[in-house]
PDB file of all heavy atoms in Angstrom:
ATOM      1  N   ALA U 421     117.122 115.130 -11.168  1.00 43.00           N
ATOM      2  CA  ALA U 421     117.176 116.566 -10.811  1.00 43.00           C
ATOM      3  C   ALA U 421     116.067 117.393 -11.428  1.00 43.00           C
ATOM      4  O   ALA U 421     115.322 118.092 -10.777  1.00 43.00           O
ATOM      5  CB  ALA U 421     118.491 117.184 -11.013  1.00 43.00           C
ATOM      6  N   PRO U 422     115.855 117.401 -12.780  1.00 45.00           N
ATOM      7  CA  PRO U 422     114.841 118.185 -13.399  1.00 45.00           C
ATOM      8  C   PRO U 422     113.412 117.795 -12.790  1.00 45.00           C
ATOM      9  O   PRO U 422     112.634 118.650 -12.523  1.00 45.00           O
ATOM     10  CB  PRO U 422     114.870 117.942 -14.915  1.00 45.00           C
ATOM     11  CG  PRO U 422     116.353 117.398 -15.072  1.00 45.00           C
ATOM     12  CD  PRO U 422     116.662 116.703 -13.795  1.00 45.00           C
ATOM     13  N   ALA U 423     113.207 116.541 -12.693  1.00 45.00           N
ATOM     14  CA  ALA U 423     111.896 116.056 -12.111  1.00 45.00           C
ATOM     15  C   ALA U 423     111.645 116.673 -10.728  1.00 45.00           C
ATOM     16  O   ALA U 423     110.548 117.068 -10.384  1.00 45.00           O
ATOM     17  CB  ALA U 423     111.718 114.578 -12.163  1.00 45.00           C
ATOM     18  N   SER U 424     112.721 116.648  -9.976  1.00 43.00           N
ATOM     19  CA  SER U 424     112.535 117.183  -8.629  1.00 43.00           C
ATOM     20  C   SER U 424     112.215 118.661  -8.603  1.00 43.00           C
ATOM     21  O   SER U 424     111.400 119.111  -7.791  1.00 43.00           O
ATOM     22  CB  SER U 424     113.796 116.884  -7.830  1.00 43.00           C
ATOM     23  OG  SER U 424     114.150 115.591  -7.771  1.00 43.00           O
ATOM     24  N   LYS U 425     112.865 119.355  -9.539  1.00 43.00           N
ATOM     25  CA  LYS U 425     112.627 120.778  -9.723  1.00 43.00           C
ATOM     26  C   LYS U 425     111.206 121.146  -9.938  1.00 43.00           C
ATOM     27  O   LYS U 425     110.511 121.922  -9.393  1.00 43.00           O
ATOM     28  CB  LYS U 425     113.612 121.321 -10.681  1.00 43.00           C
ATOM     29  CG  LYS U 425     113.290 122.955 -10.875  1.00 43.00           C
ATOM     30  CD  LYS U 425     114.279 123.402 -11.931  1.00 43.00           C
ATOM     31  CE  LYS U 425     114.066 124.866 -12.289  1.00 43.00           C
ATOM     32  NZ  LYS U 425     114.982 125.348 -13.309  1.00 43.00           N
ATOM     33  N   LYS U 426     110.672 120.387 -10.981  1.00 43.00           N
ATOM     34  CA  LYS U 426     109.300 120.535 -11.387  1.00 43.00           C
ATOM     35  C   LYS U 426     108.280 120.233 -10.325  1.00 43.00           C
ATOM     36  O   LYS U 426     107.379 120.971 -10.106  1.00 43.00           O
ATOM     37  CB  LYS U 426     109.019 119.771 -12.660  1.00 43.00           C
ATOM     38  CG  LYS U 426     107.667 119.951 -13.297  1.00 43.00           C
ATOM     39  CD  LYS U 426     107.563 119.099 -14.578  1.00 43.00           C
ATOM     40  CE  LYS U 426     106.129 119.251 -15.085  1.00 43.00           C
ATOM     41  NZ  LYS U 426     105.963 118.371 -16.362  1.00 43.00           N
ATOM     42  N   THR U 427     108.526 119.119  -9.658  1.00 44.00           N
ATOM     43  CA  THR U 427     107.645 118.742  -8.618  1.00 44.00           C
ATOM     44  C   THR U 427     107.584 119.630  -7.436  1.00 44.00           C
ATOM     45  O   THR U 427     106.620 120.022  -6.915  1.00 44.00           O
ATOM     46  CB  THR U 427     107.971 117.345  -8.189  1.00 44.00           C
ATOM     47  OG1 THR U 427     108.007 116.464  -9.234  1.00 44.00           O
ATOM     48  CG2 THR U 427     106.970 116.809  -7.109  1.00 44.00           C
ATOM     49  N   ALA U 428     108.797 120.120  -7.042  1.00 43.00           N
ATOM     50  CA  ALA U 428     108.929 121.025  -5.887  1.00 43.00           C
ATOM     51  C   ALA U 428     108.323 122.409  -6.182  1.00 43.00           C
ATOM     52  O   ALA U 428     107.618 122.980  -5.359  1.00 43.00           O
ATOM     53  CB  ALA U 428     110.431 121.221  -5.532  1.00 43.00           C
ATOM     54  N   ALA U 429     108.485 122.827  -7.459  1.00 44.00           N
ATOM     55  CA  ALA U 429     107.880 124.139  -7.795  1.00 44.00           C
ATOM     56  C   ALA U 429     106.376 124.020  -7.819  1.00 44.00           C
ATOM     57  O   ALA U 429     105.707 124.975  -7.317  1.00 44.00           O
ATOM     58  CB  ALA U 429     108.394 124.519  -9.232  1.00 44.00           C
ATOM     59  N   GLY U 430     105.801 122.968  -8.407  1.00 47.00           N
ATOM     60  CA  GLY U 430     104.362 122.877  -8.407  1.00 47.00           C
ATOM     61  C   GLY U 430     103.716 122.769  -6.989  1.00 47.00           C
ATOM     62  O   GLY U 430     102.709 123.315  -6.727  1.00 47.00           O
ATOM     63  N   ALA U 431     104.360 122.021  -6.167  1.00 45.00           N
ATOM     64  CA  ALA U 431     103.930 121.873  -4.760  1.00 45.00           C
ATOM     65  C   ALA U 431     104.003 123.227  -4.026  1.00 45.00           C
ATOM     66  O   ALA U 431     103.034 123.558  -3.303  1.00 45.00           O
ATOM     67  CB  ALA U 431     104.734 120.738  -3.927  1.00 45.00           C
ATOM     68  N   ALA U 432     105.073 123.878  -4.196  1.00 45.00           N
ATOM     69  CA  ALA U 432     105.193 125.163  -3.451  1.00 45.00           C
ATOM     70  C   ALA U 432     104.148 126.176  -3.984  1.00 45.00           C
ATOM     71  O   ALA U 432     103.547 126.968  -3.268  1.00 45.00           O
ATOM     72  CB  ALA U 432     106.558 125.727  -3.650  1.00 45.00           C
ATOM     73  N   ALA U 433     103.883 126.203  -5.332  1.00 44.00           N
ATOM     74  CA  ALA U 433     102.916 127.194  -5.883  1.00 44.00           C
ATOM     75  C   ALA U 433     101.546 126.922  -5.400  1.00 44.00           C
ATOM     76  O   ALA U 433     100.787 127.789  -5.084  1.00 44.00           O
ATOM     77  CB  ALA U 433     102.940 127.099  -7.422  1.00 44.00           C
ATOM     78  N   ARG U 434     101.108 125.612  -5.305  1.00 47.00           N
ATOM     79  CA  ARG U 434      99.879 125.339  -4.726  1.00 47.00           C
ATOM     80  C   ARG U 434      99.624 125.617  -3.256  1.00 47.00           C
ATOM     81  O   ARG U 434      98.608 126.102  -2.903  1.00 47.00           O
ATOM     82  CB  ARG U 434      99.591 123.736  -4.894  1.00 47.00           C
ATOM     83  CG  ARG U 434      99.346 123.416  -6.339  1.00 47.00           C
ATOM     84  CD  ARG U 434      98.753 121.961  -6.473  1.00 47.00           C
ATOM     85  NE  ARG U 434      99.698 121.028  -5.811  1.00 47.00           N
ATOM     86  CZ  ARG U 434     100.601 120.475  -6.550  1.00 47.00           C
ATOM     87  NH1 ARG U 434     100.831 120.688  -7.839  1.00 47.00           N
ATOM     88  NH2 ARG U 434     101.481 119.548  -5.949  1.00 47.00           N
ATOM     89  N   LYS U 435     100.828 125.474  -2.456  1.00 44.00           N
ATOM     90  CA  LYS U 435     100.675 125.757  -1.022  1.00 44.00           C
ATOM     91  C   LYS U 435     100.767 127.266  -0.695  1.00 44.00           C
ATOM     92  O   LYS U 435     100.160 127.651   0.340  1.00 44.00           O
ATOM     93  CB  LYS U 435     101.623 124.962  -0.252  1.00 44.00           C
ATOM     94  CG  LYS U 435     101.322 123.450  -0.367  1.00 44.00           C
ATOM     95  CD  LYS U 435     102.323 122.582   0.475  1.00 44.00           C
ATOM     96  CE  LYS U 435     101.966 121.101   0.378  1.00 44.00           C
ATOM     97  NZ  LYS U 435     102.915 120.310   1.201  1.00 44.00           N
ATOM     98  N   THR U 436     101.584 127.926  -1.345  1.00 44.00           N
ATOM     99  CA  THR U 436     101.882 129.397  -0.950  1.00 44.00           C
ATOM    100  C   THR U 436     101.263 130.386  -1.925  1.00 44.00           C
ATOM    101  O   THR U 436     101.011 131.514  -1.509  1.00 44.00           O
ATOM    102  CB  THR U 436     103.421 129.613  -0.930  1.00 44.00           C
ATOM    103  OG1 THR U 436     103.952 129.506  -2.347  1.00 44.00           O
ATOM    104  CG2 THR U 436     104.160 128.621  -0.095  1.00 44.00           C
TER     105      THR U 436
END
Side-chain angles (χ1 to χ4, degrees):
S424 300
K425 177 181 177 182
K426 183 178 179 181
T427 305
R434 287 193 300 270
K435 293 183 178 181
T436 64

